Every structure is written in structure tokens, then in C-alpha cells.
Amino acid sequence: MKASVRFPVTPTLLRRLAYASIIANVAIVVTGGAVRLTASGLGCPTWPRCTDESYHTTAEMGVHGVIEFSNRLLTFAVGIIALAVLLAVVARRPRPRGLLPLAVAVFLGIPAQAVIGGITVLTHLNPWVVGLHFLASMAVIAAAYALWRRTVEPDGPTTPTVPAPLRTLALLTTLVSAAVLVVGTWVTGSGPHAGDRGAARNGLDPQAISQVHADGVFLLIGLSVALLFAFRAVGAVRAARAAAVLVAVELGQGLIGFVQYFTHLPALLVAAHMLGSCLVLLATLAVLWATRERRAVSPPAATAPAAEPVTAGV
């Protein structure tokens, strides 16, 4: 009987697939924002079909239908990449520990995110559901990042690279970053870009909730700067470099946020701000990962066989 042929999954291939998954999930956040910013949220007025009679857009639905349907098609592309990552992880030998659950989480997160997107359509773009749709995408991006980092690490024990108080501070910064994302969805739900001219708003005062969001951003930047100096003080070069990138990304994102607020939320800047949200999340996770590292386990040293005792001849 012939042996079955197994497609070889190299570490490089797995890393590239995992990295592609991050890029694809960030891309669908940006294109989803384009749907909302062009008022195409109800371009396909129902779900899972585009209309009651068709799964695809029709000429009568115009450009809004094309934009919404194209974003739905992109979900399949993101799902295919996630499936390719999952299959590569299953086929990988030896398989790094913890990799399979992350691949499953990313793969299942795609249809879950699509279902939430469908609920946004069925609820006529309820702003709270729209916000949940965005946050679900952020959760998938976080899982995809964790998966990618696991593919570039050796399969060994985790050891801290900074003192425990700084690891706690990095975790607190991550939680504040997540809170800023959540409040950001409330700001969006109170603003003018509803995704459709007839969609409801969440009823929050735009100026007041924007101030709450800005206060969270100031806190986040302050914590990130504190991490940068603390990491430098203890000689944690890799962690300090990650914190410096985070501060730079936050400052750029903050600048976009202030400009878009004072220029009455032009669509192009709002789209850039959505991309910036993804980059802030990824940079925050990079800092968190830099506070620990995995070290390869060295194989046990081979011991020479004991010499047999020499006996005198008779």
C-alpha cells in the first residue's frame, strides 16, 4: 500500500498565512466602514439574502447595493484565509502548543461576525448592534494577532522580560485601550454617519460622549508614555521599542480624531480613524506580548557511555 502524501506546512508558510489573516480582518473593518460612510448600510435591505428574491445585488439597487454586497463577498475571502490557516495548523507537524484553539477561534469568529452584521441589517442599523459588529471584528483581530505571534515563537515555556509591576501596568494599558474602543463605538452611534439616512442614533449627546472618549485617549497615552520610560529604566529594550511604536500610533490616531471632530467628521478622516483603531489595538497587543517571551527548550545533553572496567588477564 502506498503511503499517503501530506502537503508539507513549513513554519514560514504558517507565519505568512497567519499574517495574511490579520491583514484581511483589518481590511474588512475598513471596508465595513466604507459601507457605513457611503450610507450603503441598507444597500442590501435584508440578510442573508440581498433582497427577498436574490442573494446578490440587482441593477435597481444602484451603487449602494454594490458596495454592501461587495463587503459581504469580502467576508467569504476573509473566511477562506481563516480556513487555510486552520488547515495549515492541523497539518503542521510538530504543532506548537496552543496554536489549534487560536486557529479555531479565528475561523469561527468570521461567521459569528457575519451573523452580527446580518442582525445590524435586520434591525435597520441599530447603533448598538453596529457597535457590537465593530467590536466583534476587533476581537477576531486580537485572536488573529495572538495566532500570528504563536507561529513566530519557539515552543517553550513563557518567561517574563520585565518586573511584575510593569506587567500589571501593561495589562492595565490594554484594558484601557479596549475601553477606548468601546466608548468610540458610542461616539460613532451618536454621530451623523449612521449607514443610512433613516437609521436611528443612540440618543447620547455627541459632544459629551466625545469628551468622555477624549479623556480615555488622554489616559491611554499617559499610561503608554509611562510604560515607555519604565521599560527603558529597567533595560527592557524590546518592550521599550514596542511602547514607543504604541505612543506614536496613539498620537497619530489622536490627531486624526481631533481633526475629524473639528472638521465635522468628513468621511475620509472617519475611515482613517477606523484603520487607526485597528493599529492601536495591534500596537497595544505588541506591548503586552513584549513583557514576556518564550524560550526554546534545549535538548538534553548526550552523555557518553560509561567505560567498561579494565580487568587484568589471567
Side-chain angles (χ1 to χ4, degrees), residues 134-166:
F134 173 79
L135 294 175
S137 295
M138 293 294 103
V140 175
I141 290 173
Y145 179 83
L147 172 65
W148 173 72
R149 287 303 297 256
R150 192 66 192 89
T151 64
V152 299
E153 295 174 331
D155 197 16
T158 301
T159 57
T161 59
V162 298
L166 295 188

Side-chain angles (χ1 to χ4, degrees), residues 79-183:
I80 290 172
I81 295 174
L83 177 59
V85 173
L86 178 58
L87 294 177
V89 169
V90 170
R92 176 74 181 133
R93 295 293 186 275
R95 182 188 307 145
R97 289 174 297 178
L99 199 58
L100 184 57
L102 289 170
V104 171
V106 174
F107 177 68
L108 295 182
I110 305 303
Q113 192 258 13
V115 169
I116 297 173
I119 295 174
T120 66
V121 173
L122 297 178
T123 58
H124 302 286
L125 306 182
N126 180 290
W128 300 107
V129 183
V130 172
L132 179 61
H133 187 45
F134 173 79
L135 294 175
S137 295
M138 293 294 103
V140 175
I141 290 173
Y145 179 83
L147 172 65
W148 173 72
R149 287 303 297 256
R150 192 66 192 89
T151 64
V152 299
E153 295 174 331
D155 197 16
T158 301
T159 57
T161 59
V162 298
L166 295 188
R167 297 199 302 274
T168 301
L169 182 58
L171 179 59
L172 176 61
T173 303
T174 303
L175 294 176
V176 172
S177 181
V180 168
L181 286 175
V182 172
V183 177

Side-chain angles (χ1 to χ4, degrees), residues 66-82:
V66 172
I67 294 173
E68 165 66 4
F69 182 68
S70 298
N71 189 63
R72 293 188 183 188
L73 287 180
L74 184 58
T75 301
F76 288 99
V78 177
I80 290 172
I81 295 174

